[in-house]
Amino acid sequence: MKLHFNAIYIIWLREMTRFFRAKSRVIGSLAMPLFFLVILGFGFNASIRFSDIPPEIDYIDFLAPGIIGMALLFDSISSGLTVLMDKQFGFLKEIMVAPVDRFSIVIGKTAGGVTTALIQGILILLISLVIGVKITGVVGFLSAIVFMILISVSFVCLGLIFASKMEDMHGFQLITRLFAFPVFLLSGAFFPLDNLPVWLQYLTYMNPLTYGVDGLRHSLIGITQFSVTLDLLVLVCFSTLMIILSTYLFSGIEVD
Amino acid sequence: MYSIKTDKLTKKYGDLRAVDNISLNVKKDEIFGLLGPNGAGKTTIIKMLATLLKPTSGFAEVCGYNILSDQDAVRKSIGIVFQNPSTDIELTGRENLDFHARIYNMDKDVRQERIDEVLDLVELSDKADIFVKNYSGGMQRRLEIARGLMHYPNVLFLDEPTLGLDAQTRRSVWEYVKRLNKDEKITVVLTTHYMDEADYLCDRIVIIDHGKVIAHDSPANLKNSIGKDIISLQVADGKNFLNTLTAFDFIKGMELHDESLYESLYLSVEDGERMIPRIMDIAHKEGVIVQSVGLRKPTLEDVFLHFTGRTIRDQDTGKKEHFQRMVRERMRGTR
């Protein structure tokens, strides 16, 4: 296995070029998480108290890292869509016939998806700050970026895995949404997980995004359910597994 | 010296043998054509040679590299223009070429120069910086050809290069292909179901039908192999007339085709112009009414007809049941 940096760079650059030319995509994918943050955040803030959230932390502060996790999840996983579009418009053939290791193609695609997801994650974080979410500081901000990258890599590759096995763009969107919603709802983005029924708690423990949201929350507002080390460990293992699996499945793609 | 060699190359989809024991060779610097009706397996062959599909069995070598064990080397030495569009329409022409150059790992200085060079070759220099979605079909096709040439490939595959293009654009694509074969010293392998295209462009061709090679030679030799001139007659009762004509030695071969309203009789003869009066004489004596008569030099269409018993168009439409009888004994006897 050999890395072709020129190829990785140009595959990444193409994703970037297309991303910045599609302004509606940027705005569209920012809107949804912001609705959740603003409406749920201020709505619950006024009337509900979760006993597991320390009293000095507002609900909207608790929610913000969860919403960032959600935005990353949805945006990352849908980057598999670019593969399906390339399949449909024939461009994937141009990529697959090039003398480039399949691993480099996956890395280029992943880098593109991660960058766009990261841009959105950071934008949401900045907007949260503007509407009054309080974070711990600069170190927290930087450590949050590390978690954002790990979350994005995991789910971009998962999106590639779905895409390598599917042909239809609408089908892809349906299936990934069907998959992403429980992952997002069971990640602790909305509520603390401590007092959940035991069977539901086990489900959340099996969910990689749970550790991502926990890591983000630790970085940004300083509360955590697990330890940061465990969060990091789980995410690094999961994202590595996803990269390997998506490279394997990508190599098996035969284009017509 | 061969650019491509295949031996018993086969691709099966379930029970269907899309490509069935194809053995062929392509010489260096020639224009080689894979000719056959839609669905004959031409594109499948190209995809296997371009490492996009894995053969079920058999062997193939491109520029001396095995298509299974040496994929990267094969990919480096070929350029390919696919049957369906494969450019990124959201990028400009130049960006598409730049993508290609970088993914093929070309150096920066070579890259810029080569982009301008290939743009110039396909006359797209002034359109280089507009989005491909604003290109016409012919321009997109030319851009794809330019892209296939970017990395100085030794072999260029063109899969139905003129499909869906208007007559004028077709003509100009042909000229590009001829020119780059000569100027860039590049082996060209093209698939087509247009007989005239294969005839005009190719140094040698294989005719493929149902995944099998049915002829492998130069267009001129193939045409010569089925006789000299072809006289076609539309007659009311072709079968009887055919029996009558078997007595005459100057007729080297005959084929009878039932077409819905009439029967067509194809006679291959030498010196066709002089033979028409003789045939009309015979018809007159036999009391056979000839509705029309035509004379032409053999085309690859006749070659295809000769080897498969149907025209390439019949297969394209696929529905029309074609009933035909062929009389070939005499032909074989006299040659």
Side-chain angles (χ1 to χ4, degrees):
Chain A
M1 211 176 275
K2 197 170 122 218
L3 280 176
H4 298 76
F5 290 104
N6 236 333
I8 294 173
Y9 170 73
I10 193 65
I11 291 172
W12 173 82
L13 185 68
R14 170 170 174 262
E15 301 289 329
M16 291 300 103
T17 312
R18 292 183 58 121
F19 175 74
F20 286 113
R21 280 179 191 167
K23 305 249 172 351
S24 58
R25 216 183 111 191
V26 188
I27 295 164
S29 52
L30 273 181
M32 184 68 129
L34 286 179
F35 286 153
F36 271 98
L37 181 66
V38 172
I39 298 170
L40 281 185
F42 287 115
F44 281 138
N45 219 9
S47 50
I48 295 179
R49 268 304 340 152
F50 287 99
S51 56
D52 300 318
I53 303 177
E56 69 276 13
I57 290 175
D58 285 338
Y59 178 67
I60 196 164
D61 300 339
F62 176 85
L63 184 63
I67 295 298
I68 293 171
M70 161 195 159
L72 293 174
L73 167 71
F74 281 88
D75 198 65
S76 299
I77 208 161
S78 72
S79 71
L81 207 54
T82 63
V83 175
L84 287 182
M85 279 167 73
D86 286 351
K87 257 188 205 172
Q88 203 135 55
F89 288 99
F91 196 75
L92 193 63
K93 284 180 288 195
E94 155 79 353
I95 298 176
M96 296 305 270
V97 81
V100 171
D101 196 281
R102 308 293 101 152
F103 181 61
S104 301
I105 296 176
V106 168
I107 294 296
K109 276 275 175 197
T110 307
V114 169
T115 313
T116 55
L118 199 60
I119 291 172
Q120 315 224 2
I122 292 174
L123 278 177
I124 291 170
L125 178 53
L126 293 177
I127 295 171
S128 320
L129 293 179
V130 171
I131 62 172
V133 172
K134 299 174 286 296
I135 65 167
T136 52
V138 179
V139 180
F141 183 86
L142 295 178
S143 120
I145 288 181
V146 173
F147 278 102
M148 287 190 207
I149 292 174
L150 286 172
I151 295 170
S152 312
V153 171
S154 305
F155 292 107
V156 167
C157 288
L158 196 67
L160 294 181
I161 290 170
F162 278 115
S164 66
K165 286 282 150 202
M166 297 183 71
E167 301 291 332
D168 176 47
M169 294 207 271
H170 297 295
F172 177 85
Q173 279 168 315
L174 269 174
I175 297 289
T176 51
R177 217 157 280 169
L178 203 66
F179 171 87
F181 261 103
V183 167
F184 149 57
L185 290 173
L186 289 174
S187 68
F190 282 151
F191 42 79
L193 302 173
D194 296 327
N195 290 333
L196 291 182
V198 178
W199 63 273
L200 209 54
Q201 236 169 20
Y202 280 121
L203 280 179
T204 63
Y205 292 159
M206 290 190 304
N207 178 0
L209 189 62
T210 305
Y211 303 89
V213 169
D214 194 56
L216 283 174
R217 208 163 265 154
H218 177 265
S219 312
L220 293 175
I221 59 171
I223 63 168
T224 171
Q225 183 176 15
F226 314 109
S227 71
V228 192
T229 329
L230 180 68
D231 293 338
L232 268 179
L233 195 69
V234 171
L235 284 175
V236 168
C237 290
F238 184 69
S239 53
T240 310
L241 181 72
M242 289 295 104
I243 292 177
I244 294 169
L245 206 58
S246 56
T247 305
Y248 173 74
L249 288 171
F250 222 77
S251 310
I253 293 183
E254 287 191 337
V255 278
D256 305 303
Chain B
M1 176 64 194
Y2 293 119
S3 282
I4 295 174
K5 276 203 289 201
T6 78
D7 187 35
K8 299 198 182 89
L9 195 65
T10 300
K11 177 75 182 179
K12 283 200 270 190
Y13 292 106
D15 282 339
L16 175 76
R17 286 170 170 269
V19 173
D20 194 359
N21 279 307
I22 296 268
S23 301
L24 52 83
N25 55 65
V26 178
K27 287 180 194 152
K28 203 171 176 311
D29 297 339
E30 73 176 342
I31 302 183
F32 187 85
L34 297 162
L35 178 67
N38 292 334
K42 296 166 294 182
T43 302
T44 311
I45 296 173
I46 295 247
K47 287 213 171 120
M48 286 192 283
L49 294 176
T51 73
L52 286 173
L53 285 177
K54 289 186 174 52
T56 312
S57 62
F59 163 89
E61 221 175 55
V62 178
C63 300
Y65 302 114
N66 190 298
I67 58 161
L68 282 177
S69 57
D70 236 342
Q71 290 197 335
D72 263 14
V74 173
R75 287 176 184 147
K76 269 192 199 109
S77 36
I78 62 168
I80 181 163
V81 177
F82 298 99
Q83 187 168 338
N84 302 315
S86 67
T87 45
D88 186 341
I89 57 169
E90 303 287 339
L91 300 181
T92 66
R94 189 184 300 278
E95 283 169 342
N96 267 288
L97 295 179
D98 187 56
F99 182 95
H100 188 89
R102 283 181 200 256
I103 208 165
Y104 279 76
N105 209 14
M106 293 170 72
D107 287 336
K108 189 170 197 272
D109 36 336
V110 187
R111 207 158 64 211
Q112 300 307 335
E113 212 182 293
R114 184 62 174 169
I115 288 175
D116 291 330
E117 208 172 275
V118 292
L119 281 171
D120 194 44
L121 186 72
V122 297
E123 293 166 35
L124 280 177
S125 303
D126 52 332
K127 301 286 196 299
D129 296 308
I130 63 174
F131 290 122
V132 176
K133 59 184 166 198
N134 299 325
Y135 278 25
S136 70
M139 284 159 66
Q140 285 199 22
R141 208 80 196 134
R142 269 145 58 199
L143 179 67
E144 302 215 20
I145 293 176
R147 189 179 65 180
L149 293 170
M150 271 300 292
H151 57 285
Y152 304 97
N154 296 318
V155 179
L156 182 67
F157 291 105
L158 303 169
D159 195 2
E160 299 276 2
T162 63
L163 191 72
L165 298 184
D166 59 77
Q168 198 191 344
T169 317
R170 266 184 93 194
R171 223 357 113 166
S172 68
V173 168
W174 289 358
E175 294 317 316
Y176 293 132
V177 172
K178 280 231 171 204
R179 202 164 78 217
L180 63 94
N181 169 250
K182 220 169 70 207
D183 295 354
E184 304 244 337
K185 293 252 174 294
I186 193 170
T187 310
V188 177
V189 178
L190 63 92
T191 76
T192 181
H193 65 283
Y194 297 121
M195 298 288 179
D196 53 339
E197 183 163 292
D199 203 359
Y200 179 77
L201 278 177
C202 299
D203 299 312
R204 291 191 312 138
I205 58 176
V206 286
I207 297 180
I208 291 170
D209 191 31
H210 295 309
K212 287 194 172 78
V213 172
I214 57 175
H216 187 336
D217 210 332
S218 70
N221 285 348
L222 286 171
K223 284 185 287 189
N224 286 335
S225 74
I226 60 162
K228 299 289 186 236
D229 297 349
I230 291 172
I231 296 174
S232 59
L233 300 165
Q234 279 181 23
V235 289
D237 186 3
K239 200 175 175 193
N240 275 336
F241 193 41
L242 185 137
N243 287 335
T244 315
L245 289 175
T246 33
F248 295 90
D249 271 349
F250 70 92
I251 297 168
K252 310 290 186 206
M254 289 188 280
E255 289 177 16
L256 177 69
H257 292 267
D258 274 350
E259 282 152 30
S260 38
L261 294 173
Y262 47 80
E263 289 179 302
S264 287
L265 198 52
Y266 296 93
L267 312 175
S268 66
V269 296
E270 276 174 64
D271 211 0
E273 289 85 349
R274 288 168 184 282
M275 293 308 150
I276 289 178
R278 276 187 77 177
I279 290 164
M280 299 320 283
D281 248 15
I282 299 164
H284 189 68
K285 274 179 200 146
E286 294 290 322
V288 173
I289 296 165
V290 179
Q291 273 140 346
S292 74
V293 59
L295 168 71
R296 59 192 169 79
K297 307 291 165 189
T299 63
L300 287 178
E301 183 81 44
D302 300 304
V303 176
F304 189 81
L305 184 69
H306 171 77
F307 281 111
T308 64
R310 25 170 233 286
T311 65
I312 204 163
R313 283 185 300 268
D314 295 337
Q315 264 219 331
D316 281 353
T317 53
K319 292 197 178 71
K320 202 165 97 187
E321 264 311 311
H322 220 85
F323 178 63
Q324 75 286 111
R325 283 150 285 177
M326 309 198 23
V327 180
R328 279 200 223 145
E329 316 85 352
R330 283 190 65 85
M331 232 160 78
R332 302 215 165 132
T334 50
R335 223 186 306 138

